[in-house]
Amino acid sequence: MKRVLKLIRLIPVVLLFIVNQVNAQQGGMWIPSLLEGMNETEMKSLGSQLSAKDIYDINNSSLKDAIGHFNGGCTSEMISPKGLILTNHHCGFGQIQSHSSIEKDYLKNGFWAMSLDDELPNEDLYVDFIVRIEDVTSAVLDNVEETMTEEEKQIEISKNIKSVEEAAKKEEWQKTKVKAFYKGNQYYLFIIDRFEDVRLVGAPPTSIGKFGSDTDNWMFPRHTGDFSVFRIYADANNRPAKYSKDNVPYQPKHFLPVSLDGVSEGDFTLVFGFPGRTDEYLPAVAIEHITQEYNPSNITIREAALKVIDAQMKIDDAVRIKYASKQARIANAWKKWIGENLGIEKTNAIENRKAFETTFTKAMKEKGLEEKYGHILPQFNTLYKDFAEINIKRRNFLEVFVVTNELMKMTYRSYQLENKIKENPEEFEKHIAWIKGQLNGVHKNYDVNVDKAVFKSVMPYYTKDVDASIYKKTAFTDLKSALSLFNGNAKQVLKKLNNDAAYAYAKPMINNYYKEVNVGYQDKKMHIDALQKEYMHALMDVLPQARYFPDANGTLRITYGQVKGYSPRDGVYYNPVCYLEGVMEKYIPGDYEFDVPQKLQDLYNNKDYGQYADTNGKVPVCFLGTNHTTGGNSGSPTIDAYGNLIGLNFDRVWEGTMSDMNYDPEICRNIMVDLRYVLFIIDKYAGATHLIDEMKLVHPKKK
Ligand code: ARG
Ligand code: ASP
């Protein structure tokens, strides 16, 4: 621990020295168009044979052309010249679930399209590829003056972003997006190809794809085959197109060859994907608020909801299918927050951050920059004191009215409808179509008894007035009657809506949220964000020798590292690779988390591993790396030193989930499925050999 402490304290001071030492790699999520220099050198020192141009090139095909942003949330990669993409099982979960029923239970049994005709189209699913990245900072900050108020600055910035997005040079089917980096100190423009015909090709049963479920989630050793396979279709010109039966498999600019040689400790690993959000440059006071107030309150509410949902899913198959995605979503963040808090506490992150702030302040004074930056840290303290209560109140509202309870969610959407009608009465028909879409969405996976029980357990966290009798009186709990609330003209609709028992109950709370809670929150948040922007700038100015990567923001990044185990506590060391043996060790017949399909047991018992075993004769399942990843990196390819696919990123270890605020190279590890396990399941378990035939299998270590 002392070593970690010392290391962290020294980071800004002796960073250049540390960077040169292979084992003290510091994490970071880097912009792929800016790798030349420091990153390229550091990657080489970790064993990479790749040049910056192999990774990102706008004139030739490069690795980046194989990386797709999957439905805005996860990552996926091209693995064949015929449009095949790979992502996680938990990323394709919603699609797998939507094709499932009690009769065709693809969640339980898996799904494999044995020909192109069997592949299943998915409404609203899209995959984005980045064509080009450009620095547009000066255009976005044009006319933004220091004398302006924060509101005025934001208005000017939004206006500039819009014109940059509109003026960008692009093909007619391409999209553009500008994103803020370094807390708004830099801006980049992205030119995007969006593919909207993406079909489900294959998924293992949940007992493989989600093996270990919530018990093993965010943990190592891990034995989950967390993958699913899709195919991108394009029009006759190989361009993005909406779904059509005439579309053909997309021929990508680049696809990743798959290595059959696997990994050993110390091998170079590159994870290429779309990390969603990190907050690595928070002041200590913010980490204190998050871990001591914000996380605990969220954990409590989710725990209350999960208790009800989990129990019902176990005894009722229809509920299990309906609530599968919802439950996974609620449970995932719930468990992450718990781990995050433990990690922050165990590594003394708050004290370390305070010590770092002392170092920063000292250097600032030494450089005569006190007048410029001296206000920042004290102001954070005041702002967070003021922000804490409203932040929690707002989050509690969202947890109850959007995340956990469906009846309240329907009233919340109805409130938004009422506003829409009042603001834009001429678009009444459009608003009605919108709310009906929302209601259909909720009712597709709705069970009134589960929802009512959730209501009773979560509502007390938002109000003293918990009235479950509305469930008997409201129209919302039945789809047909809910939809009928919205038949008629505007006046009739609003009258019926306001007479509904659930709506009448919820409306004052939603109103209060909109008029007070959220307004207060947004105002305070804006000032915190503005100060965070100043702080980011100050850090880079006062301690210029340290290296700064921009926080994750849902844009394409690389993070590199090595295959490496870790020691979570005294006397314990986790090996970086685990095997099919571990699946069998965890096997509990009939269990909802740890059952193992008979076919997989047979393959194991007969050692029928084909070409997928390691040199030790065992089938590898998962491995660990030092790559700095976060939510959104799920489904990201792990690429070897030569540009081949070796793994599929899907999780992080329990002790290291705090890496979103405090990456610690000693204990932060990402978890990847070994690609040989993926191939083994596709080939030997599912018999989908036609998919293997499409791929390019290579032996980089046997050259
Ligand atoms: N923890 C991983 C991530 O954040 C995997 C989640 C899927 N698995 C689950 N049991 N919910 O997304
Ligand atoms: N499981 C995460 C995801 O879905 C990855 C992570 O948070 O490490 O993106």
Side-chain angles (χ1 to χ4, degrees), residues 276-343:
R277 190 201 157 121
T278 58
D279 287 294
E280 308 287 349
Y281 305 99
L282 290 175
V285 61
I287 304 183
E288 228 159 10
H289 164 59
I290 292 168
T291 53
Q292 291 167 17
E293 299 170 323
Y294 184 80
N295 284 354
S297 112
N298 297 341
I299 291 165
T300 311
I301 296 180
R302 291 204 177 193
E303 215 149 70
L306 285 169
K307 212 167 145 189
V308 174
I309 296 172
D310 286 350
Q312 283 304 311
M313 281 176 76
K314 273 184 212 168
I315 56 174
D316 184 336
D317 266 353
V319 172
R320 174 179 58 78
I321 294 174
K322 281 183 187 164
Y323 277 70
S325 278
K326 208 180 312 183
Q327 189 276 351
R329 202 166 48 240
I330 296 173
N332 193 43
W334 161 75
K335 192 163 176 190
K336 186 203 153 183
W337 288 321
I338 298 174
E340 187 169 82
N341 271 11
L342 290 171

Side-chain angles (χ1 to χ4, degrees), residues 122-175:
N122 298 285
E123 234 175 278
D124 298 329
L125 174 61
Y126 63 88
V127 177
D128 283 345
F129 291 87
I130 303 304
V131 181
R132 208 167 72 237
I133 305 173
E134 284 172 22
D135 188 338
V136 292
T137 310
S138 59
V140 171
L141 296 180
D142 193 30
N143 287 328
V144 179
E145 309 291 346
E146 274 322 304
T147 50
M148 291 175 163
T149 65
E150 202 42 45
E151 282 93 340
E152 289 166 344
K153 286 185 192 168
Q154 289 311 323
I155 290 170
E156 197 59 31
I157 289 172
S158 305
K159 220 170 67 198
N160 289 342
I161 287 182
K162 206 161 161 248
S163 41
V164 170
E165 286 174 344
E166 281 169 7
K169 229 179 101 216
K170 64 171 192 79
E171 305 291 347
E172 134 244 334
W173 65 85
Q174 291 174 333
K175 300 193 179 301

